């Protein structure tokens, strides 16, 4: 095993004097994936616009704020575009923050990139390894400290991976970022990573661990509720390991898994979990949509549009989460809905509606246009009467009058959609014909089949667009009369993936299909010994049902709350929320009463977290939330036991987590009765159950006594009438 090269700037840890080494980072600007085609055939992913700035700006802004002083940006495909952008930007002129580009035309993987960087001998100590599509606001201080302290005690501790808790949809085994469900085994005491699997075989419904893994570790925690943030703190040895092992191509599938099974060298990987900080990688169109929404909802602060003002334009935040740049021309009859972004110089015509969408700079949007859930990039022309739902529209696209985009469509640069033409769902449209795929490895984007296209586009960034627009082909049968572009035929297996990796909401029929498959699977494998989604495994602890049930209950409630909040923030339809809760119900083997209690808690927690300055305002919050989501909640309140569970959950909140509700208990209970959420029989049964309880458990029964008495007397009054 070759020793890593060392710089004279470093000194031995045995010396009393320490020479300060600047904190360095390697930023890999290549995606090495086909998931963003056809767009990335013409422009590198790191330069694609994310809300109001190229992706790479978010990554560099975070690295600078986190204390990194020197960044090496590795470029391969479209390298000239990346280098030209950085040279023209402000990143080459920042004090105490140096950005250096490293170019290689022959690299086809992250492993190749790290081997090139090793040969350049530019890394002089521990470094941060990220890709140029990373969005984060986390502090690196604690992760770096943990890494250095471990390295002092154990020279084989070469890497620390950043992870965070993340909800996975149990029906489709996929996170909200569109990534596959990851299984990790972690030592709960040392935080050493012991097992990593991102390509589990779900058809078998089982996960296989080596006997030696359990025998060699007295305790370990098995997780499938963690998100890999793809932010790594690395020792210099990591670079030499890639150089010594040319079969290491993919960072996780080859390098991480290779180290975990290598018993000879004994290198170790550890994890650092973040909680309140934000970190995510944009790996596909689904994560592009999710991270964009997170930015707009300000989970990434200070990396938000009104703070990250690049160039000469400024963006202002208005009420209802609307962001507007300057010099916008908007008709008085046009409507821009909540959580939308409108770019500099854009013009919006009469009676046009823009909902939950991002519109870039210099766009011309006609009259009677309806845009929902879309990402419209720069200099796009949308003529009168067009309809766009949940799609991506790249720079320079023209949509002729009356044309439409069905959900999931991607229109690449300068495509023209013909008059009144409807682009079918999940279509990928480009001025370029679809390349012939010769390599099925999704990690190797720029194989021989696309090298000709890549080199052509890289020859002159200023000329490539005009050359493409002059391409001669007959598009009439592709995009209607006057249309220009090719609709790419779907590859084998593409139909199954298209709904997983688009900005369109996953359709109800797909979720129902996945839930049905999950239900069938559970009937086969559930035997009463299921493991908690995130639980600690110790010798002889598998049969500890009581502890496992506690973990399951806690995790289930958290999952339901996260699902509800996502439905609120992303305007998910009620029936889709019900389907997601149903899939959680199946996954955790819960009953309707559990769902009712968890949903009610999530709704009431959201209401109390909303701004309010008085008890009256808090009551209005509750009424608004319950009114909006009543259909979902009542779908789990079909019998008395489920309704009583909600009342008990409300009591618990009043005493513990949301004491502001305590004086309003009777008033809110009365409201739920009036709205047919809780029935009279459930309220009277709840009171009856409390008769033998301690006085301390009767607080809210006594508070509601006037209302309960009215319920008892109301039927008698009806009879007398």
């Amino acid at each position: 095993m070759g020793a890593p090269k060392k710089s004279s700037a470093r000194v031995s840890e045995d010396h009393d004097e320490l020479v300060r080494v600047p904190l360095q980072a390697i930023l890999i600007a290549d995606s090495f994936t086909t998931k963003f085609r056809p767009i990335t055939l013409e422009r590198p992913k790191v330069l694609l616009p994310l809300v109001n700035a190229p992706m790479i700006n978010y990554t560099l802004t975070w690295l600078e704020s986190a204390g990194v002083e020197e960044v090496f940006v590795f470029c391969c495909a479209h390298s000239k575009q990346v280098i030209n952008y950085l040279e023209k930007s402000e990143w080459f002129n920042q004090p105490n923050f140096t950005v250096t580009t490293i170019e290689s035309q022959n690299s086809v993987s992250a492993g190749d990139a790290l081997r090139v960087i090793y040969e350049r001998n530019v890394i002089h100590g521990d470094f941060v390894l990220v890709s140029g599509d990373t969005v984060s606001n986390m502090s690196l201080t604690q992760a770096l400290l943990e890494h250095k302290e471990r390295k002092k005690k154990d020279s084989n501790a070469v890497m620390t991976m950043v992870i965070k808790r993340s909800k996975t949809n149990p029906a489709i085994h996929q996170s909200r970022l569109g990534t596959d469900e990851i299984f990790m085994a972690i030592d709960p005491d040392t935080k050493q990573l012991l097992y990593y699997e991102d390509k589990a075989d779900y058809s078998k419904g089982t996960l296989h661990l080596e006997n030696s893994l359990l025998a060699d570790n007295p305790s370990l925690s098995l997780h499938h509720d963690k998100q890999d943030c793809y932010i790594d703190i690395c020792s210099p040895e990591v670079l030499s390991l890639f150089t010594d092992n040319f079969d290491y191509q993919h960072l996780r599938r080859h390098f991480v898994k290779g180290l975990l099974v290598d018993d000879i060298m004994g290198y170790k990987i550890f994890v650092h979990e973040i909680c309140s900080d934000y970190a995510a990688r944009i790996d596909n169109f689904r994560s592009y949509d999710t991270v964009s929404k997170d930015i707009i909802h300000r989970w990434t602060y200070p990396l938000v549009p009104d703070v990250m003002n690049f160039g000469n334009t400024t963006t202002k935040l208005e009420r209802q989460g609307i962001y507007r740049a300057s010099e916008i021309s908007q008709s008085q009859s046009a409507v821009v809905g909540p959580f939308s972004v409108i770019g500099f110089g854009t013009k919006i015509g009469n009676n046009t509606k823009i909902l939950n969408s991002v519109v870039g700079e210099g766009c011309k949007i006609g009259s009677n246009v309806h845009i929902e859930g879309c990402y419209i990039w720069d200099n796009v022309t949308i003529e009168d009467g067009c309809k766009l739902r949940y799609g991506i529209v790249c720079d320079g696209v023209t949509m002729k009058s009356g044309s439409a985009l069905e959900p999931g469509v991607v229109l690449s640069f300068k495509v023209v959609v013909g008059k009144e033409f409807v682009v079918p769902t999940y279509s990928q449209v480009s001025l370029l014909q679809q390349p012939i795929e010769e390599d099925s490895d999704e990690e190797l984007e720029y194989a021989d089949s696309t090298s000709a296209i890549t080199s052509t586009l890289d020859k002159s960034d200023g000329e490539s667009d005009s050359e493409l627009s002059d391409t001669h082909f007959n598009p009439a049968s592709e995009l209607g009369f006057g249309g220009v572009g090719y609709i790419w035929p779907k590859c084998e297996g593409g139909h199954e993936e298209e709904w997983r990796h688009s900005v369109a909401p996953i359709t109800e029929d797909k979720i129902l299909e996945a839930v049905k498959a999950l239900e069938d699977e559970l009937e086969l494998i559930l035997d009463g010994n299921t493991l908690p989604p995130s639980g600690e495994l110790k010798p002889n602890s598998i049969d500890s049902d009581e502890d496992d049930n506690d973990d399951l209950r806690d995790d289930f409630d958290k999952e339901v709350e996260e699902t509800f909040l996502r439905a609120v923030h992303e305007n998910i339809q009620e029936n889709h929320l019900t389907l997601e809760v149903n899939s959680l119900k199946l996954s955790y083997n819960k009953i309707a009463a559990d769902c009712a209690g968890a949903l009610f808690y999530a709704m009431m927690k959201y209401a109390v977290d909303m701004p309010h300055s008085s008890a009256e305002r808090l009551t209005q919050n509750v009424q608004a939330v319950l009114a909006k989501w009543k259909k979902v909640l009542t779908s789990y309140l079909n019998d008395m036991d489920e309704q009583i569970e909600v009342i008990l959950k409300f009591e618990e909140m009043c005493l513990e987590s949301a004491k502001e509700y305590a004086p309003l208990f009777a008033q809110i209970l009365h409201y739920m009765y009036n709205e047919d959420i809780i029935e009279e029989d459930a309220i009277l049964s709840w009171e009856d159950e409390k008769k033998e309880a301690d006085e301390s458990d009767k607080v809210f029964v006594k508070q509601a006594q006037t209302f309960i008495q009215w319920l008892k007397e109301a039927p008698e009054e009806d009879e007398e009438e």
Side-chain angles (χ1 to χ4, degrees), residues 119-367:
E119 292 171 359
R120 300 291 177 92
N121 193 26
V122 294
I123 298 299
H124 308 311
D126 294 336
F127 63 95
V128 182
L129 177 60
V130 295
S131 56
D133 50 15
T134 300
V135 178
S136 179
N137 59 9
M138 72 169 285
S139 168
L140 290 171
T141 304
Q142 187 60 34
L144 284 166
L145 179 63
E146 291 174 4
H147 179 80
K148 291 180 183 296
E149 290 299 318
R150 276 194 290 260
K151 192 68 187 295
K152 288 179 181 178
K153 299 175 182 176
D154 186 350
S155 60
N156 284 335
V158 296
M159 184 172 173
T160 300
M161 293 168 44
V162 176
I163 63 173
K164 71 175 299 182
R165 189 174 182 275
S166 176
K167 172 191 172 299
T168 300
N169 188 317
I172 61 174
H173 301 293
Q174 195 179 75
S175 74
R176 62 190 293 266
L177 294 173
T179 53
D180 290 325
E181 189 174 38
I182 294 175
F183 290 87
M184 297 183 187
I186 300 170
D187 186 314
D189 299 319
T190 66
K191 304 305 178 185
Q192 182 181 349
L193 182 67
L194 304 170
Y195 178 86
Y196 184 99
E197 179 57 67
D198 61 348
K199 291 291 182 183
D201 185 356
Y202 300 109
S203 63
K204 297 179 180 178
T206 57
L207 185 68
H208 296 282
L209 302 177
E210 294 293 335
N211 290 334
S212 59
L213 181 66
L214 299 173
D216 296 342
N217 297 279
S219 66
L220 61 85
S221 296
L222 183 62
H223 302 264
H224 72 91
D225 62 342
K226 303 300 179 189
Q227 169 194 324
D228 186 347
C229 301
Y230 289 91
I231 297 171
D232 302 324
I233 312 296
C234 303
S235 298
E237 289 88 342
V238 168
L239 296 179
S240 64
L241 284 170
F242 273 94
T243 301
D244 293 339
N245 297 273
F246 277 87
D247 55 338
Y248 285 172
Q249 300 291 336
H250 188 266
L251 288 173
R252 296 297 186 257
R253 208 161 300 149
H254 300 147
F255 176 72
V256 169
K257 290 185 179 180
L259 259 60
L260 293 179
V261 299
D262 181 10
D263 296 328
I264 299 175
M265 301 306 299
Y267 287 111
K268 299 174 184 177
I269 300 173
F270 294 81
V271 298
H272 171 79
E273 184 170 0
I274 58 175
C275 298
S276 58
D277 293 332
Y278 187 90
R281 183 189 177 195
I282 300 171
D283 185 54
N284 51 59
F285 288 126
R286 176 73 61 202
S287 53
Y288 178 87
D289 177 56
T290 300
V291 174
S292 296
K293 285 183 168 62
D294 289 343
I295 291 170
I296 293 169
H297 286 89
R298 306 181 77 78
W299 293 109
T300 60
Y301 187 88
L303 276 64
V304 291
D306 53 313
V307 177
M308 286 188 61
N309 287 313
F310 290 93
N312 298 321
T313 63
T314 58
T315 301
K316 294 184 178 180
L317 172 63
E318 300 179 358
R319 295 182 61 184
Q320 296 185 308
I322 299 173
Y323 297 85
R324 293 181 193 270
S326 56
E327 299 188 27
I328 294 171
S329 174
Q330 178 181 334
S331 167
Q332 290 186 347
S333 60
V335 175
V336 176
F339 304 113
S340 294
V341 181
I342 309 296
F344 173 84
T346 286
K347 298 178 180 179
I348 305 171
N350 299 326
N351 300 311
T352 286
K353 289 186 177 181
I354 299 175
L355 309 174
N356 293 297
S357 296
V358 176
V359 180
E361 297 183 357
C363 295
K364 297 177 182 178
I365 301 174
S367 300

Side-chain angles (χ1 to χ4, degrees), residues 415-622:
V415 162
V416 179
V417 179
K419 185 177 180 180
E420 297 183 357
F421 184 83
V422 178
V423 184
T425 55
Y426 305 114
S427 296
Q428 294 182 329
V429 186
S430 175
L431 294 184
L432 299 172
Q433 288 186 318
Q434 189 171 16
I436 300 172
E437 299 292 346
E438 295 181 358
D439 195 328
S440 62
D441 186 352
E442 65 177 15
E443 301 305 326
L444 309 180
E445 175 178 357
Y446 304 103
D448 293 339
S449 58
T450 62
S451 59
I453 295 174
T454 301
S455 60
T456 299
L457 291 168
D458 269 342
K459 284 182 180 178
S460 173
D461 298 326
E463 297 177 2
S464 60
D465 283 342
S466 60
E467 290 171 1
L468 284 169
S469 63
D470 292 336
T471 303
H472 297 290
F473 53 87
N474 179 13
S477 62
E478 297 278 342
L479 292 169
F481 181 76
V484 181
Y486 295 100
I487 298 179
W488 285 14
K490 292 180 174 62
C491 301
E492 184 178 353
H495 179 73
E496 188 60 30
E497 287 296 300
E498 62 191 10
W499 59 277
R500 291 176 180 266
H501 300 300
S502 77
V503 300
I506 299 175
T507 58
E508 183 175 343
D509 62 320
K510 292 294 183 183
I511 295 179
L512 283 172
E513 192 178 301
V515 169
K516 179 64 169 62
L518 176 66
E519 191 172 10
D520 294 342
E521 178 184 317
L522 287 170
E523 288 179 0
L524 295 174
I525 67 173
L526 280 179
D527 58 2
N529 288 324
T530 54
L531 295 176
S534 175
E536 185 175 328
L537 300 180
K538 296 183 178 180
N540 303 320
S541 69
I542 298 299
D543 295 329
S544 180
D545 293 338
E546 184 176 349
D547 291 341
D548 285 357
N549 288 336
D550 286 342
D551 287 338
L552 279 168
R553 183 169 58 252
D554 292 342
D555 284 337
F556 175 75
D557 290 346
K558 292 174 184 176
E559 296 274 18
V560 171
E561 183 177 2
E562 289 180 7
T563 301
F564 172 73
L565 290 175
R566 185 163 58 85
V568 171
H569 295 314
E570 299 180 13
N571 295 315
I572 292 175
Q573 296 178 4
E574 292 175 335
N575 55 344
H576 286 184
L577 174 58
T578 303
L579 286 170
E580 289 204 37
V581 174
N582 283 342
S583 66
L584 289 172
K585 173 187 170 187
L586 290 169
S587 178
Y588 285 85
N589 198 22
K590 294 293 185 178
I591 60 176
D594 299 320
C595 298
L599 264 175
F600 179 76
Y601 177 91
M603 293 176 185
M604 297 298 284
K605 182 70 165 55
Y606 175 66
V608 78
D609 287 343
M610 293 168 64
H612 60 275
S613 56
S614 63
E616 181 182 2
R617 180 60 182 167
L618 177 57
T619 304
Q620 292 172 355
N621 289 352
V622 172

